[in-house]
Amino acid sequence: MKILIDEGKCVGAGTCVLAAADVFDQRDEDGIVVLLDDDPPHALLPQVMDAAARCPALAIEVVE
Amino acid sequence: MTNTPPLKTQPTVRSCPFDPPEEYRTLREQEPVAPVTFPDGAAGWLVTRYDDVRTVLSDPRFSAKRIVLRPGGGGMEDAPPPPPGLFIMMDAPEHTRFRRLLTGQFTVRRMRQLAPAVEKIVAEQLDAMAAAEGPVDLVQAFALPVPSLVICELLGVPYADREEFQRNSATIVRLHSSPEEFQQAQAALRGYIHQLVLAKREKPTDDILSELVQSGELTDEELVGVGVLLLIAGHETTANMIALSTMCLLQNPEQLAALRADPSLMDGAVEELLRYLTVVQFGVRRTALEDVELHGQQIKEGSTVVASLASGNRDTEHLADDPEALDVGRPHSAHLAFGHGIHQCLGQQLARAELKAALSALLDRFPTLRLAVPVEEVPMRDDMLVYGVHELPVTW
Ligand code: SF4
């Protein structure tokens, strides 16, 4: 799985962190999403898909 | 004589204090994009399905600049610019500039770090409440002070001044405030925050307003707009969620018992209460920047569209499994209570932290908490943009 994030779109809502804390974090200074693992284990796929679906700014893309 | 049928009005009358008006269900089924007049008299479209609400709130063809619909339509040409700093009424990229300055203050991590301070504020309010003899009004004794104290501390606003800014804030979110009352309240609040900005420039303290002043990124007018917005948003919504959630749990004893039996359900219960109660009761307003077709309806450029968060959250498109039921054991759904799109609530992690701390401690501290008046006598906030209760008499 490959995760692409668009920092330009991110509005720092943090819903991705709640959905998949092993994969997403936020930068302290500006709250913008940080990818902790751009190729996480397959077992995390449901959480990652959930994070992408929840992201209010459509900033997360998952390529399987 | 024309034979255009008169527009329906947006449904506002509830038959149950915790459910949105029943007509929403019919609208979702039969007329998902419905021509209506809104409670303030403007005309436009009402969108009620989960997916459509998400579309309207995330598609850049819908603008957050609030344009009053002129009779007979009209374009965007002479839309007034949003007041300085009021970034909820801006689109990207103007909006992005403000949001970026603030998001670092409201991250998941920051809010976790803040949890002990929130818990302390909660405990102090409950101590004071316990010292009084019931019945008390839970709104004044607990639900309003907790988020007000927290946002005052975060922003750097003296809590001692709360009486005035709470009154002004209430006027701003009251549906039937006259234009004069609205203007006056807004001017008073702006004047108040402006004085604070000036004071922080002289002598910065450790708070968001001081940081914003020192960042040098915003003009005074913009600082005032941001400050007013955060102050209002920071207490009205959460205060009503705390009080309304309490009332709702008291009226749903099996749910309350489940939550008391297993406190680990609290995170999920908070999400479910947010979804179920959706306190932004009349929805979120947008303006079409071009002609848009949605479910076969032609939405003309310049039209107002209201996306109903409350209706979307009760849609089977969102939750196949009985969306009309409160179920604190439900897995966390991607609900719309905080909105969607680039304007999704900046303070949502703060709201979660406050709700969790407040409800956990309240239930813990008062095992025999109950309403002190019959449920029909609780004055509901049907007349406010943020739904909830005006008062909640409780005893224990
Ligand atoms: S959910 Fe989306 S907008 Fe929010 S922090 Fe994550 S990537 Fe950014």
Side-chain angles (χ1 to χ4, degrees):
Chain A
M1 144 178 52
K2 200 98 208 112
I3 303 172
L4 305 171
I5 50 177
D6 185 339
E7 285 193 18
K9 283 188 181 170
C10 172
V11 292
T15 38
C16 55
V17 184
L18 292 190
D22 293 333
V23 181
F24 302 101
D25 196 0
Q26 287 169 284
R27 269 202 309 255
D28 279 329
E29 318 84 78
D30 57 7
I32 298 305
V33 60
V34 174
L35 199 50
L36 298 175
D37 185 348
D38 70 353
D39 186 15
H42 199 75
L44 290 179
L45 183 66
Q47 285 181 39
V48 171
M49 295 300 283
D50 189 37
R54 276 165 201 258
C55 172
L58 310 174
I60 303 172
E61 199 188 325
V62 186
V63 191
E64 272 180 77
Chain B
M1 285 266 306
T2 68
N3 52 8
T4 326
L7 288 182
K8 275 194 284 289
T9 50
Q10 175 172 10
T12 53
V13 181
R14 297 167 181 254
S15 49
C16 161
F18 309 120
D19 291 334
E22 278 165 21
E23 293 98 314
Y24 278 115
R25 190 199 317 238
T26 325
L27 285 171
R28 278 196 303 272
E29 283 164 11
Q30 294 168 13
E31 211 177 359
V33 183
V36 297
T37 54
F38 302 114
D40 65 0
W45 300 93
L46 177 66
V47 163
T48 45
R49 286 189 187 166
Y50 180 79
D51 286 347
D52 296 335
V53 170
R54 286 180 41 124
T55 301
V56 168
L57 296 183
S58 59
D59 186 327
R61 290 178 299 172
F62 294 100
S63 163
K65 297 180 183 174
R66 230 175 286 178
I67 293 98
V68 179
L69 190 71
R70 279 179 278 145
M76 299 275 298
E77 321 74 67
D78 45 24
L86 264 200
F87 60 94
I88 51 164
M89 289 175 67
M90 296 177 190
D91 296 331
E94 294 158 279
H95 165 265
T96 322
R97 177 174 155 243
F98 288 93
R99 181 101 185 187
R100 285 284 151 94
L101 278 173
L102 291 167
T103 37
Q105 309 278 359
F106 292 94
T107 58
V108 172
R109 187 175 306 116
R110 276 264 184 139
M111 293 305 121
R112 283 195 185 128
Q113 286 161 354
L114 196 69
V118 173
E119 282 159 21
K120 183 163 168 269
I121 286 173
V122 164
E124 284 165 3
Q125 291 303 308
L126 290 178
D127 284 345
M129 188 170 135
E133 281 206 16
V136 302
D137 171 15
L138 191 81
V139 174
Q140 291 303 327
F142 183 63
L144 189 55
V146 167
S148 301
L149 278 157
V150 174
I151 196 66
C152 282
E153 201 163 307
L154 271 181
L155 262 186
V157 171
Y159 184 66
D161 299 340
R162 66 189 176 280
E163 220 166 286
E164 196 191 328
F165 66 68
Q166 284 175 349
R167 191 179 52 243
N168 287 323
S169 159
T171 305
I172 289 170
V173 302
R174 184 174 301 118
L175 206 52
H176 305 295
S177 293
S178 69
E180 297 75 45
E181 288 169 328
F182 184 89
Q183 298 292 350
Q184 253 175 31
Q186 210 174 28
L189 213 45
R190 289 188 69 92
Y192 173 68
I193 299 286
H194 194 197
Q195 289 308 312
L196 275 182
V197 165
L198 295 178
K200 309 258 176 206
R201 180 159 291 134
E202 280 292 296
K203 202 165 157 261
T205 31
D206 182 19
D207 50 61
I208 296 180
L209 211 50
S210 297
E211 269 189 50
L212 286 175
V213 169
Q214 285 176 299
S215 76
E217 303 267 351
L218 303 177
T219 65
D220 271 22
E221 288 227 287
E222 290 172 336
L223 283 164
V224 168
V226 171
V228 167
L229 194 57
L230 294 185
L231 186 58
I232 297 182
H235 75 271
E236 282 281 342
T237 42
T238 314
N240 282 293
M241 266 305 297
I242 294 173
L244 190 61
S245 298
T246 305
M247 176 181 171
C248 182
L249 287 170
L250 293 176
Q251 291 304 110
N252 285 273
E254 345 64 62
Q255 296 293 316
L256 179 58
L259 193 52
R260 283 208 154 114
D262 181 1
S264 76
L265 291 178
M266 187 49 88
D267 281 353
V270 163
E271 295 305 323
E272 173 68 349
L273 288 161
L274 283 162
R275 176 194 75 85
Y276 188 72
L277 299 171
T278 317
V279 292
V280 175
Q281 64 171 336
F282 304 119
V284 177
R285 194 171 281 207
R286 292 288 181 263
T287 302
L289 291 178
E290 51 186 88
D291 294 355
V292 181
E293 192 189 314
L294 201 60
H295 284 296
Q297 291 285 14
Q298 290 295 331
I299 298 174
K300 285 260 174 275
E301 176 195 338
S303 316
T304 300
V305 182
V306 165
S308 171
L309 307 179
S311 175
N313 278 339
R314 297 293 184 104
D315 191 347
T316 47
E317 254 176 14
H318 168 47
L319 278 184
D321 183 20
D322 202 1
E324 303 284 358
L326 174 77
D327 176 1
V328 296
R330 218 190 265 285
H332 175 179
S333 75
H335 61 72
L336 300 167
F338 292 116
H340 188 65
I342 62 170
H343 292 282
Q344 193 187 54
C345 178
L346 172 70
Q348 59 181 287
Q349 310 304 350
L350 176 60
R352 289 186 165 102
E354 291 180 344
L355 279 167
K356 193 179 157 191
L359 293 175
S360 304
L362 177 69
L363 298 184
D364 225 40
R365 188 73 179 264
F366 297 96
T368 57
L369 190 74
R370 57 190 185 277
L371 292 186
V373 296
V375 66
E376 314 76 54
E377 285 174 26
V378 176
M380 306 308 296
R381 292 175 42 121
D382 300 300
D383 55 338
M384 309 295 266
L385 299 180
V386 180
Y387 186 64
V389 290
H390 285 294
E391 269 172 51
L392 190 67
V394 293
T395 191
W396 51 88

